[in-house]
């Protein structure tokens, strides 16, 4: 009887974790959709897409709160230890980073609505879009690594982040060169520089999630290490 109760409790816990993981992936999908639409608007000059992104952050916030509440409930009721505790606390950190990615996407949308769309040459917009596209690839790989709890794929995301950082530096140089040649576009170029900065920050949040995934699976904290790949 006691063994049956224990097995039932373990099965119930695993079911709860799977439900929470599903909500995290749902949040990740919503964030990815917003980021992809920002990239489309950047090149196509679609103000309606920007309005949608700027006004839809509430959905992500609601999902974040739901995941947090469920995780706190598990901690209070079940008092998990070892791997189970890493899973719950890791998910709480992951959902926070996903919400911040949503915030940065909203920030990019507002910056672009201010002046960027009609004032920056298409070549500049495409340069920043390429940076953003690489970050969307990072996000997809990260969500896949979390869904599968695959630490090796998470490590690939960490390598991608290094590449994104290098590309971000190159984009800044290109934008600053353009600004020196066309100083009259200062306000607009500065807006697109801030957009690039938000993309880079999104990359940092994705890297954080990849590190949490490794920690949940392997109990290894790979943050702040020079060699992580």
């Amino acid at each position: 009887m006691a063994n049956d109760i224990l097995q039932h409790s373990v099965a119930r816990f695993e079911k709860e974790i799977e439900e929470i993981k599903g909500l995290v992936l749902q949040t990740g999908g919503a964030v990815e959709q917003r980021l992809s639409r920002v990239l489309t608007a950047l090149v196509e000059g679609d103000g309606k897409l920007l309005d949608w992104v700027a006004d839809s952050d509430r959905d992500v916030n609601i999902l974040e709160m739901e995941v947090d509440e469920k995780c706190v409930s598990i901690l209070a009721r079940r008092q998990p230890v070892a791997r189970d505790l890493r899973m719950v606390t890791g998910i709480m950190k992951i959902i926070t980073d996903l919400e911040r990615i949503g915030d940065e996407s909203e920030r990019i949308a507002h910056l672009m609505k201010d002046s960027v769309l009609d004032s920056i040459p298409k070549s500049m917009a495409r340069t920043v879009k390429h940076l953003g596209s690489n970050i969307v690839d990072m996000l997809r790989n990260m969500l896949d690594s979390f869904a599968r709890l695959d630490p090796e794929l998470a490590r690939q995301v960490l390598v991608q982040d290094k590449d994104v950082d290098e590309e971000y530096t190159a984009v800044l140089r290109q934008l600053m060169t353009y600004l020196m040649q066309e100083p009259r576009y200062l306000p607009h170029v500065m807006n697109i520089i801030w957009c690039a900065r938000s993309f880079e920050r999104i990359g940092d949040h994705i890297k954080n999630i990849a590190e949490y995934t490794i920690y949940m699976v392997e109990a290894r904290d790979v943050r702040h290490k020079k060699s992580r790949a």
Side-chain angles (χ1 to χ4, degrees):
M1 176 67 71
N3 188 53
D4 290 342
I5 293 174
L6 178 60
Q7 289 181 347
H8 176 77
S9 179
V10 170
R12 178 59 186 165
F13 175 81
E14 291 177 350
K15 181 179 179 181
E16 287 182 275
I17 289 294
E18 287 303 312
E19 289 174 353
I20 294 173
K21 281 180 63 181
L23 287 173
V24 171
L25 292 172
Q26 182 181 344
T27 307
V31 167
E32 179 187 338
Q33 182 184 42
R34 284 151 181 73
L35 193 54
S36 296
R37 291 192 177 190
V38 161
L39 293 178
T40 300
L42 181 60
V43 173
E44 297 182 0
D46 190 334
K48 290 183 179 179
L49 277 181
L50 295 180
D51 289 336
W52 183 87
V53 173
D55 295 337
S56 62
D57 191 55
R58 181 174 177 272
D59 296 340
V60 173
N61 294 338
I62 290 173
L63 284 168
E64 181 204 15
M65 289 188 290
E66 184 175 358
V67 170
D68 269 344
E69 288 173 1
K70 288 181 178 294
C71 286
V72 169
S73 175
I74 286 180
L75 290 173
R77 289 183 291 106
R78 299 190 177 275
Q79 299 180 341
V81 296
R83 186 179 187 274
D84 293 339
L85 179 60
R86 295 198 307 272
M87 181 70 66
V88 176
T89 56
I91 285 174
M92 293 178 76
K93 293 178 179 180
I94 285 170
I95 198 67
T96 297
D97 274 295
L98 284 174
E99 191 273 335
R100 288 174 180 169
I101 292 172
D103 288 346
E104 291 292 343
S105 299
E106 181 184 12
R107 173 180 168 80
I108 294 169
H110 283 299
L111 285 166
M112 289 166 57
K113 282 175 64 178
D114 286 345
S115 61
V116 170
L117 290 180
D118 298 325
S119 308
I120 293 295
K122 291 296 183 183
S123 60
M124 294 292 99
R126 283 193 294 269
T127 296
V128 178
K129 182 178 184 292
H130 188 269
L131 172 66
S133 296
N134 287 337
I135 288 170
V136 170
D137 286 340
M138 273 184 68
L139 178 60
R140 289 170 180 160
N141 286 337
M142 177 275 296
L143 292 172
D144 192 17
S145 73
F146 171 75
R148 294 157 48 187
L149 294 179
D150 184 341
E152 294 308 315
L153 183 53
R155 288 186 174 88
Q156 293 178 31
V157 173
L158 300 184
V159 174
Q160 283 182 282
D161 181 64
K162 295 177 182 178
D163 295 337
V164 163
D165 287 343
E166 292 177 1
E167 184 176 5
Y168 168 66
T169 300
V171 167
L172 286 187
R173 289 197 192 103
Q174 187 173 351
L175 289 169
M176 293 305 296
T177 298
Y178 176 79
L179 185 57
M180 287 187 287
Q181 296 170 349
E182 301 288 350
R184 66 184 184 277
Y185 290 126
L186 173 62
H188 311 305
V189 174
M190 288 307 301
N191 267 359
I192 206 165
I193 285 174
W194 285 118
C195 287
R197 175 58 178 151
S198 284
F199 280 128
E200 193 271 340
R201 285 176 176 167
I202 288 171
D204 287 342
H205 290 303
I206 295 169
K207 178 193 71 173
N208 291 344
I209 296 172
E211 291 172 341
Y212 297 143
T213 300
I214 294 170
Y215 176 71
M216 287 190 296
V217 177
E218 298 182 348
R220 293 180 58 211
D221 190 344
V222 297
R223 296 174 298 172
H224 314 305
K225 291 185 179 180
K226 292 182 179 180
S227 177
R228 292 175 291 194

